[in-house]
Amino acid sequence: MSSCHAAPTPVLTAPAGTSGPSERTSVLLVGNPNVGKSSLFNVMTGSRQSVMNAPGTTVELQLGTWRTPDGAVDIVDLPGTYSLIARSPDEQVVADALNGTVPGVGGVDAVAVVVLDATALARSLYLLAQVVRTGRPVVAAVTMLDVAREHGSPLEIRRLAELVGVPVVGLDPRRASEVTRLAHAVAAVAADEPTGLPGVTTEPHLSAGDHHDPERLEAHLADAEVLFTWVESVLTALEPTPPVRVTRTDRVDRALLNPVLGVPVFLALMWCLFQLTTSVAAPVMGLVGGWVNGPAADAVAALLHPWAPHWLEGLLVDGVVAGVGTVLTFVPLMAIMYAALALLEDSGYMARAAFVADRAMRAIGLDGRAMLPLIIGFGCNVPALAATKTLPDSRQRLLTGLLVPWTTCAARLTVYILIAGAFFGDHAGTAIFAMYVLSLVLVVGGGWVLRRTVFRGVQREPLVLVLPAYQRPHVATIAKSVANRVWAFASKAGRIIVLTLTVVWLLMSIPAVAGHPVGDVPVQDSVYGRVAEGVAPAFAPAGMADWHVTAALATGFVAKEVVVGSLAQSYAVTETTGSAQSHELGAGLRATLDATSGGHGGAAAMAFMVFVLGYTPCVAALAEQRRRFGVRWTASAVGVQLAVAWLLAVGVFQVGRLL
């Protein structure tokens, strides 16, 4: 491409007084959403990653170590943003990190690597100019060069570097071999003082809270006009592009963004995701769970039996091993779901799915991207909470994460089938269907209430999306990303799961009355059973004030599938075959609920199902929720879910007994 010598652009200087590089280089990875920033981070860091929330926020930051030819580099993948004039927590964290005010992130000498999209250069250059104005050493990494060529707009990297005044590296972020040139550029700028780039001489410095100060915000908006003028001058200085061609992406989008075809395709993909969490992942989870709870548990018991006391054997086998087994059971499910989400993101379809689903999700103050985790939640809440990562704004991630537990997962279905079959006979299917309808009502109603109370800032704003070009997914990059995410779940959420299950075993193994050894106690006589018996009166208004019921509901905190097993244990069901066991257990439940409800067993049974739907999900979901949103939000959500579940159960029973 020949050079186009337009009028030279003035100089955009960086604030003076920046210090020299630190002994170990740090990098802040900055860019718009969907420019390949996360793919670049995964290639840079490999398995050397960790996750942290920015202090005092639910904004997630990816931390990692980049092994370069010039030495190890600490790197932080900041949230995607279009501007440093912050209007959301994510954008504020980016602005604060670039200003050096986020503890433990980068530092005043950290190099900013700004990822530019060759197909949307104007938007990327605006962010680049803002980053340079913070006074940091800057390197620009340009992605989507092949897509720009396909559109008939090839970009000359050397000419762009001359115009912007900072090192510019063109690369495919999914290929490790192309990242080495970026490493050398980072090392070079880290050793020099920032020189500024062609632009403007005004130097307003963005700081935390500026978007709350009308005068400062006005100053930034005025400065934005100056930056837009600079961006336009750079684009003009580049050779004018020929007419844009109709690309393969354009042709595919004509179909997938058309409501007639796009909506059915979207629904089909959502159905496939749901199937992944049920029909595909469930058998694998069953195999893993069967191996851990069978041969693995038996092997540990055999090793312990000759010398360990009974209580220690029970603690290690039924507590610790069972907890580890629960974590391992979720690993294939998480791997499958993470791979599916990575394929959707890497291919470019994720943004199209958000566009198609946006109108439906705006009813609860969310954009279309929230549809994915909510749909997944009907299969399993754990990967659904993990899928909230695909949402671009921390407030929307949090709001969606608080609604996910009200999507009725497949584990709850086992309880519905038992209760509905025992009490409603030929109408069992209708009763189960009612639970799914109520689940949708809770999600929509809960979102409506939260948006008007705690989340007033999450409004019905128009969805602004950049639709990336369709690309062939890079298998190696996806595999690396899946491995890192699964390890993060197993190592962090897994600790909570194992600890919780061990505590539950202890409560069920410690006798509350004399005459029972530790580790060999009937449920009713254990500390756990006595606590359940003490809680039972609270369920009298719902027609189920019995320790059998409350003990089973308490085990539901661990896993909803355990509710059925707990009921069978507390009723001392002796039959082992499925139909005989269900018949014997159903008879015991009918007798109990008929007695506690004053003869309105059907209404009490419906209240039981409603409570199972509404209250806290399993310990694995709680662990994932805590990992992503913190203890405070998780504890608050548990309290709200218990209150809502109790109120709904009481309402259903009180109305049902009158019918």
Side-chain angles (χ1 to χ4, degrees):
M1 177 185 291
S2 60
S3 299
C4 178
H5 300 286
T9 53
V11 174
L12 176 67
T13 60
T18 54
S19 57
S22 58
E23 292 184 3
R24 176 160 169 166
T25 304
S26 296
V27 166
L28 298 176
L29 202 57
V30 189
N32 300 152
N34 298 317
V35 295
K37 185 166 58 66
S38 295
S39 296
L40 178 59
F41 176 80
N42 287 331
V43 171
M44 286 173 162
T45 59
S47 61
R48 300 174 292 276
Q49 295 184 7
S50 62
V51 180
M52 66 169 278
N53 281 357
T57 74
T58 59
V59 179
E60 191 175 86
L61 304 175
Q62 296 281 121
L63 313 178
T65 301
W66 181 19
R67 305 293 186 190
T68 76
D70 303 290
V73 173
D74 297 320
I75 185 167
V76 182
D77 183 14
L78 297 173
T81 183
Y82 295 107
S83 171
L84 298 188
I85 302 177
R87 293 184 176 86
S88 73
D90 296 71
E91 293 171 343
Q92 189 62 64
V93 166
V94 177
D96 291 345
L98 288 167
N99 290 328
T101 58
V102 179
V105 174
V108 295
D109 299 321
V111 176
V113 173
V114 183
V115 184
L116 311 181
D117 183 353
T119 65
L121 199 56
R123 183 175 57 251
S124 295
L125 286 175
Y126 175 72
L127 180 61
L128 172 66
Q130 288 185 314
V131 173
V132 171
R133 300 285 285 284
T134 65
R136 291 185 176 278
V138 174
V139 175
V142 185
T143 65
M144 307 288 186
L145 289 168
D146 54 339
V147 179
R149 283 192 296 270
E150 183 185 352
H151 280 73
S153 305
L155 182 63
E156 186 178 332
I157 296 298
R158 183 175 300 176
R159 177 61 176 152
L160 178 61
E162 293 173 358
L163 292 168
V164 300
V166 300
V168 180
V169 178
L171 51 81
D172 181 343
R174 300 174 299 176
R175 300 186 185 280
S177 59
E178 297 189 14
V179 179
T180 302
R181 289 181 288 115
L182 178 60
H184 292 317
V186 168
V189 300
D192 298 324
E193 291 288 333
T195 59
L197 58 92
V200 191
T201 56
T202 53
E203 305 172 1
H205 197 72
L206 294 167
S207 60
D210 277 359
H211 61 294
H212 296 304
D213 185 335
E215 293 184 2
R216 290 290 294 165
L217 181 58
E218 184 178 354
H220 289 320
L221 292 174
D223 184 63
E225 295 185 17
V226 177
L227 296 185
F228 281 129
T229 301
W230 176 82
V231 170
E232 186 177 354
S233 69
V234 172
L235 295 175
T236 302
L238 291 170
E239 184 173 345
T241 58
V244 176
R245 304 171 185 169
V246 177
T247 65
R248 177 185 57 190
T249 293
D250 298 325
R251 291 190 291 270
V252 174
D253 277 346
R254 287 174 183 170
L256 294 187
L257 299 183
N258 185 300
V260 175
L261 183 60
V263 172
V265 170
F266 169 78
L267 293 176
L269 281 172
M270 295 305 99
W271 180 85
C272 289
L273 285 175
F274 179 79
Q275 289 296 104
L276 283 176
T277 62
T278 53
S279 301
V280 176
V284 182
M285 294 172 68
L287 288 173
V288 175
W291 179 82
V292 173
N293 296 319
D298 292 342
V300 173
L303 290 173
L304 295 172
H305 187 71
W307 59 271
H310 181 69
W311 66 267
L312 180 59
E313 181 181 333
L315 173 64
L316 294 177
V317 175
D318 299 325
V320 177
V321 173
V324 172
T326 300
V327 177
L328 293 178
T329 298
F330 275 101
V331 164
L333 170 61
M334 301 300 284
I336 290 171
M337 190 51 55
Y338 278 136
L341 293 174
L343 283 170
L344 291 176
E345 285 184 298
D346 213 34
S347 66
Y349 183 76
M350 187 74 80
R352 276 80 180 177
F355 177 84
V356 172
D358 180 61
R359 180 172 296 181
M361 297 311 299
R362 282 171 59 193
I364 54 176
L366 297 169
D367 73 36
R369 281 163 285 212
M371 180 69 80
L372 272 169
L374 293 176
I375 290 291
I376 294 169
F378 283 94
C380 181
N381 288 175
V382 180
L385 289 165
T388 59
K389 181 180 173 62
T390 61
L391 275 70
D393 183 89
S394 62
R395 294 170 301 176
Q396 295 212 11
R397 288 194 292 273
L398 178 57
L399 175 53
T400 306
L402 295 176
L403 297 176
V404 161
W406 278 331
T407 57
T408 185
C409 64
R412 292 176 170 106
L413 183 59
T414 59
V415 183
Y416 300 158
I417 291 172
L418 170 67
I419 303 298
F423 285 88
F424 302 113
D426 294 338
H427 300 289
T430 303
I432 294 172
F433 177 73
M435 293 300 100
Y436 283 87
V437 173
L438 179 59
S439 176
L440 292 173
V441 171
L442 284 174
V443 170
V444 175
W448 187 88
V449 171
L450 287 171
R451 188 163 56 86
R452 283 160 176 77
T453 53
V454 182
F455 293 87
R456 292 189 186 92
V458 181
Q459 300 296 331
R460 294 186 183 184
E461 299 175 356
L463 176 65
V464 179
L465 272 180
V466 178
L467 299 180
Y470 291 107
Q471 298 184 84
R472 183 179 301 166
H474 196 261
V475 176
T477 303
I478 288 176
K480 192 175 297 182
S481 173
V482 169
N484 290 334
R485 292 180 178 183
V486 169
W487 172 248
F489 166 78
S491 60
K492 294 186 177 181
R495 289 196 295 265
I496 302 171
I497 295 170
V498 173
L499 177 62
T500 303
L501 291 179
T502 302
V503 170
V504 169
W505 180 89
L506 286 171
L507 293 175
M508 297 182 70
S509 301
I510 298 175
V513 295
H516 301 291
V518 175
D520 188 14
V521 187
V523 176
Q524 187 176 11
D525 293 335
S526 68
V527 172
Y528 180 87
R530 288 307 169 93
V531 171
E533 194 168 359
V535 172
F539 287 88
M544 45 185 186
D546 183 85
W547 77 270
H548 296 84
V549 174
T550 52
L553 291 175
T555 60
F557 280 97
V558 177
K560 291 299 180 285
E561 304 97 320
V562 181
V563 171
V564 175
S566 175
L567 286 170
Q569 185 180 21
S570 62
Y571 281 105
V573 173
T574 57
E575 295 291 342
T576 57
T577 60
S579 59
Q581 184 189 56
S582 297
H583 179 76
E584 185 177 351
L585 184 52
L589 276 171
R590 284 194 300 272
T592 295
L593 293 183
D594 281 342
T596 59
S597 65
H600 302 286
M606 202 68 186
F608 185 93
M609 293 170 66
V610 168
F611 191 87
V612 169
L613 165 62
Y615 84 118
T616 308
C618 64
V619 66
L622 287 179
E624 182 68 8
Q625 200 171 37
R626 177 189 177 278
R627 184 170 78 93
R628 296 200 170 272
F629 308 121
V631 174
R632 183 172 65 88
W633 280 109
T634 302
S636 300
V638 168
V640 170
Q641 289 154 9
L642 285 171
V644 169
W646 185 85
L647 290 172
L648 285 174
V650 170
V652 166
F653 174 72
Q654 295 298 332
V655 172
R657 71 188 183 89
L658 299 176
L659 300 178

